[in-house]
């Protein structure tokens, strides 16, 4: 059992309090601009060309509403107060539906970064578990947005991979079949997130693998291809971001 002198204990207590205050500040930022977010989702749903896509975006919107309620609950439990109202940024209409999908995709990835910091500063495992579930949802959302973007960019992407089994095609929507198909990518991203992999490198691998899946690769082939590009140096950007991650650990 390690022993800390009073000065070390004080320093640790100060560090934990600072981390908690940062988490509370980021929670306030996370729930700010709810009205603007609602307008953004309404825009995407109105522009989505198929009912399938509308349902996907609506499900993401509903998840985000639930996340906001959880953040507000955590904030009130810790502080005894409601999250103070804040003026969010004005809604800026995307240039196009595809531009909106790109904005949404990278918004989800930025949220993962922010929520990891929130999770680290929370005072107990109960709240940290809630954040882990929210982070998992955000990564799944990014996979869905990646699917929507690829679907609208490549005509062939509307066809399911032949490796998807018949029972799944009978019980799942097209979108959910794709999400199930790329589940290895999501699990890999979650595992590497927990291992503290450099986020820039993680996102590069994750999004690039998803694009390759949209081009006809299996998830396993996509991962292998991206790793090959990294190892051979064919992608200098992947190699550089991986080295940055190694230096930080």
């Amino acid at each position: 059992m390690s022993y800390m002198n009073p000065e070390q204990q004080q320093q640790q207590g100060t560090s934990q309090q600072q981390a908690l205050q940062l988490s509370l500040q980021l929670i306030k930022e996370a729930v700010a601009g709810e009205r603007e977010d609602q307008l953004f989702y309404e825009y995407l749903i109105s522009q989505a060309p198929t009912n399938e896509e509308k349902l996907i975006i609506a499900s993401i919107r509903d998840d985000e509403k639930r996340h906001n309620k959880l953040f507000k609950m955590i904030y009130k439990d810790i502080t005894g107060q409601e999250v103070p109202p804040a003026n969010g940024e004005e809604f800026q209409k995307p240039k196009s539906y595809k531009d909106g999908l790109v904005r949404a995709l990278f918004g989800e990835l930025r949220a993962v970064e922010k929520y990891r910091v929130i999770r680290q500063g929370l005072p107990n495992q109960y709240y940290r578990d809630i954040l882990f579930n929210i982070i998992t949802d955000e990564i799944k959302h990014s996979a869905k947005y990646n699917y929507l973007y690829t679907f609208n960019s490549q005509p062939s992407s509307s066809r399911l991979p032949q490796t998807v089994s018949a029972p799944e095609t009978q019980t799942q929507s097209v979108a959910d079949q794709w999400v199930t198909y790329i589940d290895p990518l999501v699990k890999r991203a979650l595992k590497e997130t927990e291992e503290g992999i450099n986020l820039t490198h993680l996102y590069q691998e994750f999004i690039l693998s998803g694009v390759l899946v949209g081009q006809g690769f299996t998830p396993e082939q996509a991962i292998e291809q991206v790793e090959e590009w990294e190892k051979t140096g064919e992608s200098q950007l992947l190699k550089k971001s991986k080295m940055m991650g190694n230096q930080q650990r």
Side-chain angles (χ1 to χ4, degrees):
M1 181 175 177
S2 60
Y3 172 77
M4 292 188 295
N5 61 43
E7 182 178 354
Q8 290 174 323
Q9 292 177 346
Q10 182 178 10
Q11 290 176 346
Q12 183 183 53
T14 300
S15 177
Q16 291 173 342
Q17 185 60 30
Q18 290 175 341
L20 176 58
Q21 290 304 313
L22 177 58
S23 294
L24 294 174
Q25 176 59 38
L26 292 177
I27 286 176
K28 289 192 290 185
E29 293 178 9
V31 301
E34 288 182 87
R35 177 56 182 164
E36 288 72 28
D37 290 343
Q38 179 65 27
L39 292 173
F40 178 65
Y41 287 118
E42 289 178 1
Y43 168 81
L44 287 181
I45 292 172
S46 70
Q47 296 298 308
T50 68
N51 189 57
E52 188 82 37
E53 293 176 65
K54 294 179 188 294
L55 292 174
I56 293 172
I57 298 169
S59 71
I60 295 174
R61 175 201 61 197
D62 294 343
D63 281 348
E64 296 296 348
K65 287 182 178 180
R66 178 169 51 82
H67 294 170
N68 272 1
K69 290 180 180 179
L70 290 171
F71 279 130
K72 291 177 179 178
M73 179 270 290
I74 293 173
Y75 188 92
K76 186 172 184 180
D77 282 357
I78 295 175
T79 67
Q81 301 174 348
E82 303 287 348
V83 176
N87 295 323
E89 297 179 359
E90 293 186 4
F91 170 65
Q92 296 182 352
K93 184 178 178 180
K95 297 177 182 179
S96 64
Y97 175 58
K98 286 178 64 176
D99 179 65
L101 294 177
V102 172
R103 183 192 301 184
L105 170 60
F106 283 95
E108 298 291 340
L109 297 176
R110 285 192 298 271
V112 171
E113 294 185 10
K114 179 181 291 186
Y115 297 168
R116 284 185 65 192
V117 176
I118 292 175
R119 182 175 183 266
Q120 291 169 357
L122 293 177
N124 60 53
Q125 192 62 42
Y126 172 69
Y127 296 135
R128 289 194 287 271
D129 285 345
I130 292 176
L131 261 293
F132 179 79
N133 290 333
I134 291 176
I135 290 170
T136 301
D137 284 344
E138 298 299 315
I139 293 177
K140 289 180 179 178
H141 294 171
S142 65
K144 290 182 178 181
Y145 280 128
N146 192 29
Y147 157 74
L148 292 176
Y149 183 81
T150 304
F151 183 87
N152 284 274
S153 300
Q154 300 291 335
S156 61
S157 67
S158 61
R159 296 193 298 271
L160 280 171
Q162 295 181 358
T163 53
V164 175
S165 64
E168 288 179 319
T169 62
Q170 294 172 2
T171 60
Q172 292 181 308
S173 66
V174 172
D176 282 343
Q177 290 174 55
W178 270 103
V179 172
T180 300
Y181 185 63
I182 64 171
D183 190 56
L185 298 181
V186 177
K187 289 181 178 178
R188 178 189 177 93
L190 284 171
K191 181 180 179 181
E192 293 192 358
T193 297
E194 285 299 294
E195 292 175 353
I197 300 297
N198 174 269
L199 287 176
T200 298
H201 184 72
L202 173 61
Y203 295 158
Q204 287 173 345
E205 279 192 326
F206 179 65
I207 295 174
L208 186 54
S209 296
V211 171
L212 292 177
V213 169
Q215 297 289 334
F217 286 66
T218 67
E220 293 76 12
Q221 290 172 336
I223 292 172
E224 289 177 2
Q225 180 62 77
V226 172
E227 289 183 340
E228 182 68 17
W229 285 337
E230 175 192 313
K231 291 176 181 177
T232 62
E234 184 171 346
S235 173
Q236 290 297 314
L237 292 177
L238 280 173
K239 186 175 181 180
K240 181 179 179 182
S241 63
K242 182 63 176 292
M243 292 176 64
M244 289 172 57
N246 291 336
Q247 292 171 356
Q248 291 175 359
R249 289 195 294 276

